[in-house]
Amino acid sequence: MKRAVFALMALMALAAPRFLFSRDRGAVALPTGSTRVDEVRRVLVIGAHPDDEDTNLISYLQRGGRAETAYLSVTRGDGGQNLIGNELGEALGIIRTEELLAARRVDGAQQYFTRAYDFGYSKSAAETFAHWPRDSLLDDVVTVVRGFRPHVIVAIFSGTPRDGHGQHQVSAILAKEAYEMAGDTVRFPVSRFGAAWTPLKFYRAARFSPEAATLKFNVGEYNPALGRSYAEIAGESRSQHKSQGFGTLQRRGVIWDFVRREHSRVNAGTDASTEKSLFDGLEGVPPAGRVNDAEQRLAHEGVAVEAIADRQYVAQGDSARVTVTVFNRTRSRVTVTPNASSFNGQNAAGIEPDSSLRWTTYVKGTELSQPWWLATPRIGDLFSPRINGIPEDESEKEQWLSVPVAISGQAPVAMRVPIVFRYADAVRGDVQRPLAAAPLIGVTLARGVELARANSPLDRFFNVTLRSASMARLPVSVSLVLPAGLAADSASRLLTLDSAGTRTVSFRVRGRLAPGSHTVEARAMVNGRTYATGFVPIEYEHISPQRQYRPSSVRIAAIDVTTDRDLTVAYIPGVGDNVAPALMQLGIPVTIVDPSEVPTVDLARFRTVVVGPRAYEAHRELGYNNPYLLEYVRRGGVLVVQFGQFEMMRPGIMPYPITINRPHDRVSEENAPVTILEPASAAFRRPNRITAADFEGWVQERGLYMPRSFDPRYRPLVALNDPGEPVNRGGILVAAHGRGLYVYTSLAFFRQLPAGVSGGTRLFVNLLNMRSSGMRPR
């Protein structure tokens, strides 16, 4: 994933050894006989997003030894939501990429992507192709097809409007076009796209329409060698999509999966419904079982390699010491044949059974270790680096070390192992972090975007985090570059940063900003050189730790917004929710309330209580404690609830019922016209006058999970719709409840405020400032 280039100062390669990528780190995988990758069956499954894959099918094929299998996700899921943290956009794409790789480590398949950035929900293929140049995406899919060379392609979706999401439709359209055109060397020259390849059969998944299937198979089949069924493996694989809340059961028993044959180049004359296997007509192509069996057998034989670095980060231009150890836990003699310089002039070294061999080499850091597709800026909704047809996990090869190993006189095999920094954690135990190349000094500010009230006093601390990749202590000078109207409490700060240390320096900044966009930049200087970039760690236990690099600057959106002086807010966070910090930046007093603490908090001391997006789904205890929130309203409080999903229809969640359609209504065009239904409502009059201009410049979408119908006691305040679709009036609903006011909004404020969108911020602040006395029961 991270194309960090490490120059090995001691070359560890033998002439033309065979590379096999074992799913167990450092476990050798040797070929059996003359079986080659090109001689086994291969199946490529194609979908739009990281959670679209059919893990039942993939596990059945790959773990069952029926075919080498890969999943091509057209996007990395950047446009989705996040149930485990606050990362959105490209940062969420990093998480979801790693979740797919974690899933593939479970089911054993390979993983591919195209350059497409997930820009959010779309409702048609035409709308999607307006974001993604069709030819560019087809180029990518053909590149993957030629790189993986599948005999069978299975498209997850139909390529028709019944797929719903326009990105779903596009993934299926591209899958079929690639099947038809991958062999065309005129349209796709070999020099650019690789050797021509013509897939032989094309299927579409039919798990949701089994009546249309031409083939079914029992993915609940038990595999004695694995001690599990394929459906159990698939359940574990599926559950890696934790950011999307897709944890699922590992079911036992008979479980059917379904596909529909759409085209075949080998048995087109046969009735598709008479097929017994995906591979009917491919009888001359052997299954992948021989390669899998060899890999599993040699891994169990017990040869392992470790490559342990003396640090987690190596500064660009510096070298890390790496201790390499080969463990022979077999009953046979093992021969290691790296570069002669590693063993005092010897060309090879033997390792007796139950022994090990250790030596030291050095690795030089050059390019930054970061997600390779983010190394250069996006061009519109396409990542700029070209797709090369290499599986995602194998694109990490520059930070892996290769050691040629032979057992009992067999042909040598290049064992590839990641270079890691290893330590013991008192709670987690053995922790291994990939060695990463980093700037000598990394510089980051807490956020990329912050809000401020225009033409109002600003008094704020900016925290600058410094991370050293040096093994020596360094003197560092830190300073801020400020826009007109702001001044810091000091021009610069001098400090000493410890070896591999991290420190945070705070600057107090005061002044005023005119309306508009302004930039604050942090800089660090070491020995006359200036550093102005750094990374934000992305770390969750179920995925490999990653880093997102960004300039050490923050854009301040100075917004012409006012608020009542007596406004106080209790905020119950939701999913992927960065709204509360944005409100604090506007000077609104905000207290964060954990859902489990609602019964113990005196809500009466807050004028407004806010519930974050999808909070009821993410926090079961919030549903249990919801009566306290409704009682708060009945006693005169104002409760503003941001959108939820279908759980909002459960009795007792909202004061009066609503209905949300399946699939849910949403307005995905961020510039879709909005009609104000009650111009006299306080929502549009105070403390900020809302006009049509406040609906300009919104990002990604207008609204989602919008109520289609609702109790007449709710008053709809806005009406909006995507082009050609019925008007939806569920964007903002307000209702009197007892002496208080209940506000429900399905507009995408959770995207607008963190992005610094002026109009979305002003409207949301107005909702918080509504008073219960301004609403009367009908």
Side-chain angles (χ1 to χ4, degrees), residues 45-69:
V45 181
I46 301 179
H49 305 107
D51 50 31
D52 290 339
E53 87 272 46
D54 185 344
T55 53
N56 279 320
L57 172 64
I58 291 172
S59 299
Y60 175 80
L61 294 173
Q62 180 70 38
R63 288 304 186 193
R66 295 171 173 87
E68 288 193 345
T69 310

Side-chain angles (χ1 to χ4, degrees), residues 655-659 707 709-716 733-735 778:
Y656 315 114
I658 65 170
T659 62
S709 63
F710 40 84
D711 188 282
R713 283 169 284 193
Y714 290 108
R715 288 182 179 173
L733 302 176
V734 295
R778 286 188 169 182

Side-chain angles (χ1 to χ4, degrees), residues 35 72 175 205-206 263 457 465 487 557 575 587 636 767:
T35 301
L72 167 59
H263 192 271
T465 299
V575 168
L767 297 182

